[in-house]
């Protein structure tokens, strides 16, 4: 099957030998790490609470000869695993947090395992497991060939809002790193120079004075009024921000009863833009909307900083490495049963799917703007980073959906995970074999950075919001 697949792909000058060896090592561990991904899928855990998932990955890496440091950067589920010495130092990042409310069986119809419980709607069970699988194969290859260099796996908790990677940056864990190779589950096998959206957000809390809403409204000051004036001002603001801006919010508390003037109201708001620095300016205007709400309603407003992720700086050199790697890695084909599952799932999407199938590998130099946000973006501002997606989800299925959660528990998810592990392993080996590529990646990083510096509104006090997902 492999040979036939390779013929479908664009032909590249692929020296056989070394590449085949590391791919054989990936294949040797594929079943075990596929089972690891399934185990994590079966026990979905929210950000900073990924105790079982992190422990399982730590145990697997330790058993395969990695030196593991658990609980890094004041995060119980953050860890590093390392093998080798000297440069190049290559980091593979592993996420493993789930999303609230997305509990889902591995079936092509919406059916929760436990209603309201978390689920792996972003496929992070595959993300962390594929990176670990690649790490083990790379370690064995370095060892067998006596190559110089260090392979590390960073277990990065709470990508869905907690920003584990940002605390790892603050803790200095990326300081001696030459390159980060990252991936994310998706609905196609694709490498390009895509970015992500910067985001910034938090909770806006208004404090007023409670009073009987009919008998003594004049003595009350409504926190909900303050909040609604703020949000109306935000709606007007929408017209006067750059086109690519996204602003979304929910009201988490609007008072307790209509006959009581609300003494407390709260909204959770997130804004996004392709450029962190432009976003900072927009966010200051949102802060002014909130201040205006408090002033007009005679209430007091407090802001609690929430998620703040930078956009991703693409890296031309590393993306080229990953592009070559993915072309060698190849895509995969569905079995008849998988094809049937995919068809049923696509029928639930309510739109015709015009996407390439998982047998295709797409490598190009386009720079599509981001549609989501990730703390991998912050990492790209401090060290050369490139990333790619693989077809872990059926074409047309987007992340953060029950359809994605279903795919992440099936053989389709695990086949996509294998494409990722193969790509990561081949990409890393190319850099160990040609250490000059690490220097070229550093130069490409400097060019994109263009003298700017990474900044974050998340304080460098080393105190991750360990309860953010459950409060
Ligand atoms: Zn994700």
């Amino acid at each position: 099957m492999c040979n036939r697949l390779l013929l479908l792909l664009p032909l590249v000058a692929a020296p056989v030998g070394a590449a085949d060896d590391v791919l054989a090592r990936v294949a040797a561990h594929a079943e075990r790490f596929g089972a690891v991904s399934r185990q994590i899928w079966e026990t979905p855990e929210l950000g900073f609470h990924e105790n079982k998932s992190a422990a399982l990955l730590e145990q697997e890496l330790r058993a395969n000869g990695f030196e593991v440091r658990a609980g890094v950067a004041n995060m119980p589920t953050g860890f590093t695993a390392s093998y080798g010495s000297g440069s190049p130092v290559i980091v593979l990042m592993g996420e493993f947090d789930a999303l609230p409310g997305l509990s889902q069986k591995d079936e092509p119809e919406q059916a929760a395992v436990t209603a309201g419980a978390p689920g792996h709607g972003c496929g992070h069970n595959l993300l962390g497991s594929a990176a670990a699988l690649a790490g083990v194969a790379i370690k064995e290859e370095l060892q067998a060939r006596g190559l110089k260099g260090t392979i590390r796996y960073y277990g990065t908790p709470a990508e869905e809002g907690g920003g584990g990677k940002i605390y790892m940056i603050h803790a200095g864990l990326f300081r001696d790193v030459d390159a980060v190779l990252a991936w994310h589950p998706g609905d196609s096998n694709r490498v390009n120079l895509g970015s992500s959206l910067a985001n910034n957000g938090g909770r806006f809390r208004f404090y007023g004075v409670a009073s009987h809403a009919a008998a003594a409204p004049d003595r009350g000051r409504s926190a909900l009024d303050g909040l609604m004036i703020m949000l109306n001002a935000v709606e007007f603001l929408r017209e006067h921000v750059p086109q690519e801006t996204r602003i979304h919010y929910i009201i988490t508390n609007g008072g307790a009863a209509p006959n009581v003037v609300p003494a407390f109201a709260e909204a959770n708001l997130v804004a996004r833009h392709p450029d962190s620095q432009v976003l900072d300016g927009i966010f200051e205007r949102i802060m002014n909307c909130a201040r205006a709400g408090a002033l007009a309603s005679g209430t007091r407003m407090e802001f609690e900083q929430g998620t703040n992720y930078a956009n991703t700086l693409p890296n031309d050199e590393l993306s080229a490495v990953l592009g070559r790697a993915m072309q060698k890695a190849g895509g995969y084909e569905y079995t008849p049963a998988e094809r049937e599952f995919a068809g049923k799932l696509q029928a639930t999407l309510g739109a015709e799917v015009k996407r390439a199938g998982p047998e295709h590998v797409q490598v190009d130099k386009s720079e599509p703007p981001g549609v989501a946000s990730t703390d991998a973006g912050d990492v790209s501002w401090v060290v050369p980073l490139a990333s790619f997606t693989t077809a872990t989800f059926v074409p047309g299925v987007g992340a953060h959906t029950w359809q994605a959660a279903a795919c992440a528990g099936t053989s389709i998810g695990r086949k996509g995970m294998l494409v990722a592990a193969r790509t990561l392993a081949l990409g890393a080996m190319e850099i160990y074999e040609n250490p000059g590529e690490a220097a070229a990646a550093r130069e490409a990083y400097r060019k994109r950075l263009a003298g700017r510096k990474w900044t974050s509104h998340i304080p460098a006090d080393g105190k991750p919001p360990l309860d953010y997902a459950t409060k």
Side-chain angles (χ1 to χ4, degrees):
M1 188 184 88
C2 242
N3 288 337
R4 204 166 75 74
L5 260 183
L6 282 172
L7 287 176
L8 294 173
L9 298 166
L11 289 173
V12 288
V16 283
D20 290 352
D21 290 345
V22 80
L23 290 184
R25 297 182 196 285
V26 170
H29 294 280
E31 200 179 320
R32 174 65 201 142
F33 281 91
V36 166
S37 83
R38 173 72 194 195
Q39 198 173 325
I40 296 174
W41 183 86
E42 286 175 5
T43 50
E45 300 171 297
L46 294 176
F48 291 133
H49 296 273
E50 315 98 325
N51 299 305
K52 288 179 191 150
S53 308
L56 177 58
L57 289 163
E58 286 170 15
Q59 177 194 316
E60 292 295 327
L61 288 159
R62 205 177 278 120
N64 280 287
F66 280 74
E67 194 183 314
V68 175
R69 269 177 62 209
V72 298
N74 293 322
M75 301 181 293
T77 54
F79 67 94
T80 62
S82 186
Y83 172 82
S85 62
S87 59
V89 177
I90 298 178
V91 164
L92 309 180
M93 297 196 294
E95 297 167 8
F96 32 72
D97 58 327
L99 284 157
L102 278 180
S103 174
Q104 170 64 33
K105 294 181 182 170
D106 54 356
E107 291 170 8
E109 61 200 41
Q110 188 164 16
V113 179
T114 310
H120 273 290
C122 211
H124 292 182
N125 62 309
L126 303 166
L127 203 171
S129 303
L133 166 55
V136 168
I138 293 162
K139 176 249 164 188
E140 288 181 351
E141 187 68 9
L142 288 178
Q143 197 171 22
R145 291 167 60 193
L147 283 170
K148 192 170 157 282
T150 306
I151 179 69
R152 288 192 202 146
Y153 179 101
Y154 282 5
T156 63
E159 189 278 331
E160 302 287 2
K165 296 180 192 70
I166 293 170
Y167 296 92
M168 295 172 99
I169 296 173
H170 283 316
L173 294 172
F174 288 95
R175 245 175 240 149
D176 65 342
V177 175
D178 290 297
V180 175
L181 303 184
W183 82 285
H184 197 285
D187 72 341
S188 59
N189 304 309
R190 180 185 288 268
V191 183
N192 55 28
L193 294 168
S195 184
S196 62
L197 292 175
N199 73 1
N200 193 14
R203 289 169 186 266
F204 291 84
R205 299 195 177 101
F206 287 79
Y207 298 88
V209 179
S211 180
H212 194 296
D218 54 306
R219 287 180 14 214
R221 294 292 178 269
S222 170
L224 182 60
D225 287 358
L227 185 64
M228 289 182 70
I229 293 166
M230 170 198 167
L231 296 177
N232 277 296
V234 166
E235 293 308 325
F236 284 117
L237 180 69
R238 272 188 210 282
E239 189 185 350
H240 307 289
V241 291
Q243 178 89 338
E244 318 76 47
T245 310
R246 294 280 183 276
I247 305 173
H248 23 261
Y249 53 80
I250 54 170
I251 295 177
T252 50
N253 191 323
N259 60 358
V260 180
V261 173
F264 180 70
E266 183 191 71
N268 194 347
L269 177 146
V270 177
R272 308 183 200 232
H273 187 275
D275 185 299
S276 302
Q277 288 169 359
V278 175
L279 180 61
D280 278 351
I282 295 165
F283 209 80
E284 184 51 30
R285 293 165 72 194
I286 292 171
M287 291 300 298
N288 280 337
C289 295
R291 291 176 189 123
L295 183 64
S297 60
T299 60
R300 182 170 61 81
M301 186 276 296
E302 276 178 9
F303 173 67
E304 184 190 318
Q305 177 66 50
T307 306
N308 177 213
Y309 292 168
N311 55 299
T312 302
L313 293 183
N315 190 293
D316 308 58
E317 293 292 331
L318 285 183
S319 290
V321 169
L322 289 177
R324 287 190 288 275
M326 189 180 272
Q327 282 178 319
K328 279 184 223 164
Y332 69 89
E333 287 185 342
Y334 288 144
T335 62
E338 287 165 351
R339 191 172 304 283
E340 192 188 332
F341 176 94
K344 282 186 181 165
L345 208 59
Q346 284 176 332
T348 69
L349 298 177
E352 199 199 339
V353 175
K354 292 181 190 154
R355 308 277 287 180
E359 64 278 17
H360 294 280
V361 164
Q362 300 163 73
V363 175
D364 62 57
K365 290 187 175 158
S366 65
E367 301 197 16
V371 290
S373 308
T374 168
D375 56 2
D378 294 82
V379 176
S380 76
W381 282 71
V382 299
V383 63
L385 173 147
S387 64
F388 62 91
T389 64
T390 69
T392 58
F393 308 145
V394 166
V397 167
H400 295 205
T401 60
W402 68 261
Q403 289 94 339
C407 294
T410 66
S411 56
I412 291 177
R414 290 188 287 280
K415 282 182 173 177
M417 171 188 152
L418 204 52
V419 175
R422 289 160 63 88
T423 304
L424 290 171
L426 288 168
M429 290 318 301
E430 183 179 317
I431 298 170
Y432 291 118
E433 286 161 11
N434 311 282
E437 287 186 358
R442 173 71 48 183
E443 193 45 42
Y445 156 77
R446 274 205 202 100
K447 251 192 209 160
R448 289 270 180 178
L449 203 58
R452 293 170 296 170
K453 261 202 154 132
W454 174 68
T455 57
S456 176
H457 295 288
I458 292 183
D461 60 2
K463 288 185 196 145
L466 298 180
D467 62 346
Y468 90 96
T470 48
K471 74 177 175 190

